[in-house]
Amino acid sequence: VLIESGQNRRYNGTATATFTVRQDSLTIDVEARDVSPNIAHLQHIHGFTDGRASACPTMAQDKNGDGIIDLMETEPVAGTTMVPFTADPVSMAIVVNTYPTASAKGTYHYRKTVSLSALETAFAKAFPGQQLDLDKRVVFIHGVPASTKLPATVASLGDIPAQVTIPIACGKIERVK
């Protein structure tokens, strides 16, 4: 998966994500560059709970015209946050402090191997009736520095600052044979 910063051009970020399945193991490998340095970056699989295929947002999703596609504006095309790339993806816990932190040069490498069957079980519990179906999902990388001035119209989840949840890069997961 090539994760590019096409939707919010003001905020850089690119990455390559690779998902490798070997027997009952899923290895998630993300190599990010040109992201905001020295901050943690939330990264997740996003998708729809009804099994539809997701897509990365474009500027057409900027419904309030503020020049920024916030997390809430991504939902019609990308769906909801599903699997976090944290120290424990199988936990399905989104709000944790174990996301990767970028270096001073704006890079990070995340690699985690999990039991595929355990992740599929946790996924089915979190999203009843759904399967992991990676090829129907997208990957988001989020986050800009807390000092970033955003228009008041940029929305986030609950009391989480928009600087934490703003998508800076997205990529469609595609099966490679």
Side-chain angles (χ1 to χ4, degrees), residues 109-170:
H109 182 221
Y110 168 88
R111 183 179 177 92
K112 189 70 180 175
T113 300
V114 299
S115 161
L116 181 58
S117 59
L119 181 59
E120 288 172 332
T121 298
F123 190 88
K125 184 176 179 184
F127 305 102
Q130 293 301 304
Q131 296 180 351
L132 191 55
D133 288 332
L134 291 176
D135 56 348
K136 291 184 178 179
R137 315 292 181 201
V138 296
V139 175
F140 273 111
I141 296 176
H142 305 267
V144 295
S147 60
T148 303
K149 301 293 183 210
L150 297 173
T153 51
V154 176
S156 188
L157 295 170
D159 61 354
I160 301 172
Q163 287 86 347
V164 173
T165 65
I166 191 166
I168 61 167
C170 181

Side-chain angles (χ1 to χ4, degrees), residues 4 31 55 99 128 148:
E4 298 182 290
E31 189 73 42
Y99 288 98
T148 303

Side-chain angles (χ1 to χ4, degrees), residues 46 48 53-58 74 76-79 136-138 140 170-172:
H46 283 242
F48 290 103
S54 343
C56 289
T58 67
T74 69
V77 296
K136 291 184 178 179
R137 315 292 181 201
V138 296
F140 273 111
C170 181
K172 175 91 173 99

